[in-house]
Amino acid sequence: MFPLTEENKHVAQLLLSTGTCPRCIFRFCGVDFHAPYQRPYKELLNELQKFLETEKEELISDVPNPPPKKIRLQELEDGIDGIDNLSQNGEGRVSILEDGSIASKNSNLNVCNVCLGILQEFCEKEFIKKVCQKVEASGFEFTNLVFSVSFPPQLSVREHAAWLLVKQEMGKQNLSLGRNDIVQLKEAYKWITHPLFSEELGVPIDGKSLFEVSVIFAHPETVEDCHFLRAICPDCFKPAKNKQSVFTRMAVVKALNKIKEEDFRKQFPCPPNSPKAVCTVLEIECAHGAVFVAGRYNKYSRNLPQTPWIIDGERKLESSVEELISDHLLAVFKAESFNFSSSGREDVDVRTLGNGRPFAIELVNPHRVHFTSQEIKELQQKINNSSNKIQVRDLQLVTREAIGHMKEGEEEKTKSYSALIWTNKAIQKKDIEFLNDIKDLKIDQKTPLRVLHRRPLAVRTRIIHSMETRYVDEHHFHLYLKTQAGTYIKEFVHGDFGRTKPNIGSLMNMTADILELDVESVDVDWPPALDD
């Protein structure tokens, strides 16, 4: 069933005669159901022409003593009631043939003066197949997709011009047309293309999909359509660092909402000029949203930084915890890059023992995303077999939201350590036993000198929940601590030139230093433990 009614005839004829395509005519007539847009373009054009034939006949029959047929044809081509005179090039876009049908004067496709061809050839199966070929060649793994399009900003200007034209004509009939009454170009485009993409690729279109196919359109011929707006509404067009042009769609729409109708009409033709060529496709992009892998790592080396150790562009050590884990993940997930995060960090000379430290890795634009639990186990084993400096456990796929549990633990949870302490004075077992009785000791730590280059200067209050000592000899003892997360253990031992108060040295009234430090546990119950 043809979607237009008798009420729409005058507007449809007006738009068609000024160079507007059938689908844009549907949009301006408020056709908001999908089926009519999805029909092949040539069928739509033929049906629209048949629908409008009666409009032409009515125009002719209204004239008393109608002239001979040849003269009538000439008058129609010149534009009865001045309709065709609205076309900027002075030529009617539509003419009546001798058999009474309406046809374009050009045998080739007349490019729509509103959508610039977007709702013409870029909705047809041939174009969709080209996009799908690019998608299939991209090598991404996906079970659904979201399809997005970026249209040239001048389309908003052209739509505004066509709206003013139609609004003026409808006003003569005491009818109104609001901007919101027009079906959005992007909506109509998706109504047409989504079923075609699903059919061609065999997967559903899902707005929540992590896999995105985007098509970016441009139209160099009409790129200056927006420029007059900057002179009238300069506040709408402010340069932005991440934008190549000030004429963004948002800026153009903002200006169109501010500009007065009479000012717009003075600067831009209503209806808009008919272009010579359709839009061009600047880019067809495929991208997959990040996926996240989490686990816990043990670090057994005292010569391994958590992240690459580079100073003034020079690499100090050949590897890091981050790289020993991430290199394997990058290869298997076929990702472009990664971001590593963890629940705290240990120094290069500190081991992490016990159940390990929670970590998460964001894999950016991965091409492979579907793994069985067995494949993840095998990946974990591969990481563990590749180095004796680290081991990974509980490796699993997680959501972005779940990583918040790890970050909560950085400040709120407790951590346990063991340290080998040296004293400058000889000690006996009884000299250190008092430390065992201290509970929930509050200390003030000024930002340590060794991290001042990357941390703001501040005094942080931390709690030493408990301590336990084990005597070794007259200058050494083991100290086991349970502390608030975020405590600088080395500085608690040696005092950092008085920047941490109190400290082990001040409590014992002697000089103390730390020779070895191990992280025994990070009390964050995340990620969930997995069966071996």
Side-chain angles (χ1 to χ4, degrees):
M1 181 177 162
F2 196 68
L4 299 186
T5 64
E6 290 297 316
E7 286 182 359
N8 304 133
K9 269 194 172 180
H10 187 67
V11 168
Q13 178 62 58
L14 172 65
L15 289 171
L16 186 65
S17 66
T18 57
T20 306
C21 73
R23 290 180 176 124
C24 280
I25 290 171
F26 290 171
R27 295 195 301 118
F28 278 88
C29 290
V31 177
D32 59 359
F33 47 103
H34 305 188
Y37 293 91
Q38 294 168 350
R39 298 182 62 186
Y41 184 80
K42 287 182 180 178
E43 283 185 24
L44 285 180
L45 186 59
N46 289 336
E47 288 214 15
L48 180 62
Q49 289 169 344
K50 287 177 184 176
F51 173 73
L52 294 177
E53 280 177 15
T54 52
E55 175 82 356
K56 289 291 189 182
E57 289 170 4
E58 286 169 9
L59 288 169
I60 293 167
S61 63
D62 286 343
V63 180
N65 301 315
K69 187 172 183 179
K70 285 187 179 179
I71 299 175
R72 287 198 321 233
L73 285 170
Q74 186 59 47
E75 286 177 349
L76 281 168
E77 290 183 359
D78 291 342
I80 293 177
D81 289 338
I83 289 172
D84 284 356
N85 292 332
L86 291 165
S87 179
Q88 292 299 307
N89 57 16
E91 293 180 9
R93 303 289 301 187
V94 176
S95 58
I96 308 290
L97 303 181
E98 288 203 10
D99 62 2
S101 66
I102 300 175
S104 167
K105 281 189 169 183
N106 264 331
S107 57
N108 298 328
L109 172 76
N110 287 318
V111 182
C112 177
N113 64 342
V114 178
C115 72
L116 301 176
I118 295 292
L119 294 183
Q120 293 173 294
E121 66 177 59
F122 294 110
C123 291
E124 300 303 301
K125 283 189 176 181
E126 186 180 346
F127 175 70
I128 302 302
K129 281 186 176 180
K130 286 180 182 177
V131 177
C132 291
Q133 286 168 3
K134 184 82 181 281
V135 172
E136 288 167 343
S138 68
F140 281 94
E141 194 174 64
F142 59 95
T143 54
N144 51 28
L145 65 92
V146 58
F147 178 61
S148 64
V149 286
S150 174
F151 295 141
Q154 59 264 39
L155 289 182
S156 298
V157 177
R158 290 176 161 266
E159 186 158 298
H160 192 81
W163 169 62
L164 291 180
L165 171 72
V166 173
K167 190 172 83 159
Q168 183 183 52
E169 288 302 310
M170 290 180 68
K172 294 175 184 177
Q173 303 169 52
N174 295 320
L175 299 172
S176 62
L177 179 70
R179 285 300 303 268
N180 294 333
D181 296 329
I182 304 167
V183 173
Q184 293 295 307
L185 174 61
K186 196 166 281 190
E187 283 298 300
Y189 189 73
K190 288 180 178 180
W191 292 345
I192 304 163
T193 57
H194 279 189
L196 297 175
F197 273 114
S198 286
E199 182 183 353
E200 189 68 27
L201 293 171
V203 298
I205 302 290
D206 182 353
K208 295 180 180 179
S209 174
L210 289 176
F211 180 60
E212 181 179 17
V213 178
S214 56
V215 180
I216 301 169
F217 292 98
H219 197 264
E221 181 188 341
T222 60
V223 75
E224 294 183 2
D225 280 3
C226 307
H227 291 189
F228 75 95
L229 290 171
R230 190 178 189 180
I232 298 173
C233 305
D235 291 346
C236 298
F237 300 95
K238 293 179 180 177
K241 288 182 181 179
N242 60 337
K243 300 291 184 183
Q244 292 182 345
S245 169
V246 295
F247 296 104
T248 61
R249 193 189 69 83
M250 292 297 291
V252 168
V253 169
K254 188 177 178 182
L256 291 173
N257 288 333
K258 288 180 71 174
I259 192 171
K260 294 178 181 177
E261 287 187 18
E262 57 268 28
D263 292 336
F264 183 91
R265 288 176 179 277
K266 287 175 186 175
Q267 298 290 333
F268 197 82
C270 298
N273 288 322
S274 295
K276 296 175 183 175
V278 296
C279 282
T280 58
V281 177
L282 273 188
E283 209 164 353
I284 299 171
E285 292 180 336
C286 298
H288 200 290
V291 296
F292 298 84
V293 176
R296 301 175 80 98
Y297 73 80
N298 291 107
K299 172 176 171 285
Y300 301 121
S301 170
R302 295 198 187 276
N303 195 34
L304 183 69
Q306 188 196 57
T307 55
W309 193 6
I310 300 168
I311 300 175
D312 296 330
E314 183 182 345
R315 190 175 187 116
K316 297 299 181 181
L317 291 170
E318 66 178 23
S319 191
S320 65
V321 173
E322 174 186 293
E323 291 164 295
L324 289 173
I325 299 172
S326 299
D327 285 354
H328 294 279
L329 298 182
L330 273 178
V332 172
F333 281 79
K334 299 179 181 177
E336 286 182 3
S337 59
F338 70 91
N339 295 303
F340 180 92
S341 57
S342 63
S343 182
R345 60 188 295 137
E346 66 284 314
D347 291 337
V348 61
D349 58 350
V350 175
R351 297 186 303 178
T352 299
L353 308 176
N355 285 332
R357 185 185 297 279
F359 71 91
I361 295 176
E362 176 187 14
L363 293 155
V364 179
N365 203 25
H367 285 57
R368 187 184 173 196
V369 292
H370 300 296
F371 293 87
T372 64
S373 57
Q374 182 59 35
E375 286 173 323
I376 295 293
K377 277 186 181 179
E378 290 170 3
L379 175 58
Q380 176 176 296
Q381 194 59 47
K382 187 177 180 183
I383 294 169
N384 292 340
N385 291 341
S386 67
S387 173
N388 60 4
K389 294 181 178 182
I390 65 157
Q391 290 281 284
V392 169
R393 71 179 69 200
D394 300 330
L395 196 69
Q396 56 197 277
L397 289 163
V398 297
T399 63
R400 183 189 293 272
E401 292 72 28
I403 294 175
H405 298 303
M406 179 182 74
K407 289 299 178 184
E408 287 167 11
E410 284 189 4
E411 296 296 329
E412 296 175 6
K413 303 295 183 179
T414 59
K415 295 183 181 180
S416 301
Y417 301 88
S418 64
L420 178 60
I421 310 298
W422 169 87
T423 60
N424 68 326
K425 294 179 182 179
I427 56 170
Q428 299 297 318
K429 187 176 181 181
K430 60 184 175 60
D431 295 326
I432 59 174
E433 285 179 343
F434 78 98
L435 294 173
N436 299 338
D437 299 325
I438 297 175
K439 305 296 178 188
D440 295 327
L441 173 68
K442 282 189 178 181
I443 64 172
D444 291 326
Q445 293 197 302
K446 192 178 284 188
T447 304
L449 292 171
R450 64 188 173 91
V451 299
L452 202 52
H453 65 285
R454 57 184 170 87
R455 291 280 173 88
L457 179 61
V459 176
R460 299 171 180 85
T461 299
R462 293 289 184 262
I463 298 173
I464 309 298
H465 294 294
S466 64
M467 289 183 280
E468 187 180 331
T469 58
R470 184 165 62 83
Y471 183 78
V472 177
D473 59 38
E474 59 183 15
H475 285 287
H476 300 89
F477 69 94
H478 284 289
L479 179 64
Y480 301 92
L481 310 95
K482 190 167 189 177
T483 74
Q484 179 183 354
T487 304
Y488 292 104
I489 304 301
K490 291 178 179 178
E491 282 68 25
F492 172 61
V493 173
H494 59 62
D496 198 26
F497 301 100
R499 297 169 71 85
T500 292
K501 298 177 182 179
N503 55 69
I504 292 295
S506 67
L507 291 170
M508 296 181 66
N509 198 25
M510 63 181 69
T511 299
D513 206 349
I514 189 164
L515 301 182
E516 290 181 350
L517 178 63
D518 293 330
V519 179
E520 295 290 348
S521 73
V522 179
D523 300 332
V524 178
D525 297 327
W526 188 90
L530 301 178
D531 295 331
D532 290 335

